[in-house]
Every structure is written in structure tokens, then in C-alpha cells.
Amino acid sequence: MTVLVDDPLWPAHGRLWAHLVSDADLDELHAFAKAHDVPARAFDLDHYDVPAELVPRLIAGGAEHVAGKELVRRLIASGLRVRGRDRRR
């Protein structure tokens, strides 16, 4: 099981954001996020949105840094991906 983080490329609220996911287990993802002070409100069904300034600390804490396409590919392969059309907004 691995926790993955991509590059902070997504602009919102005056900052850039990255995604934090697990390639196997949401419990692992939640535990990792909690251990690294990622707020629960940052969770969006299958990933956490994390600000750019947090990415180096997540990598130092054990998250594997991958490109966005690799992150999505591994999230889909894990069976944890929630498709956009299945999200209720």
C-alpha cells in the first residue's frame, strides 16, 4: 500500500493544490493525512486536496511523489476512484 501525492497544479482560493490518494486503502489514506495534519474537511470522496506548501512535508513523511496521470491511473486501478458523474455536488 502506498500513499501518493501529485504536483500542485490546481488553482483555487489564491493557491495551488495537489491531490493525496492511496493506491489501496482509504483507512491508510485517512491515517496518513491525520498524521500529517491534513484536515478532514480536505477529503473529497477518494482524495485529499492539499496546498502546495504541504507537499514537501508529505513527501518527507513517506508519500510517493508521482505525476498527475500516474496518480489517477493508480487510483483507478485500486478501485477507489469515484468518477465525476458519481459525485453529488
Side-chain angles (χ1 to χ4, degrees):
M1 293 184 279
T2 305
V3 174
L4 312 168
V5 65
D6 65 1
D7 294 311
L9 301 174
W10 305 95
H13 312 290
R15 337 162 73 160
L16 291 176
W17 298 81
H19 302 103
L20 184 70
V21 306
S22 171
D23 68 355
D25 182 28
L26 288 180
D27 290 335
E28 171 194 38
L29 177 61
H30 294 311
F32 185 91
K34 184 175 182 178
H36 293 88
D37 299 321
V38 177
R41 70 179 179 275
F43 184 66
D44 187 13
L45 301 178
D46 60 5
H47 70 277
Y48 283 86
D49 293 316
V50 293
E53 59 271 14
L54 189 53
V55 171
R57 187 165 44 136
L58 296 172
I59 294 169
E64 180 181 340
H65 179 233
V66 296
K69 288 183 181 183
E70 176 69 9
L71 181 137
V72 171
R73 185 189 68 74
R74 290 173 64 179
L75 183 60
I76 291 169
S78 75
L80 298 174
R81 176 72 173 144
V82 177
R83 298 175 303 179
R85 67 179 179 220
D86 295 331
R87 293 175 184 271
R88 285 189 270 161
R89 297 265 178 197

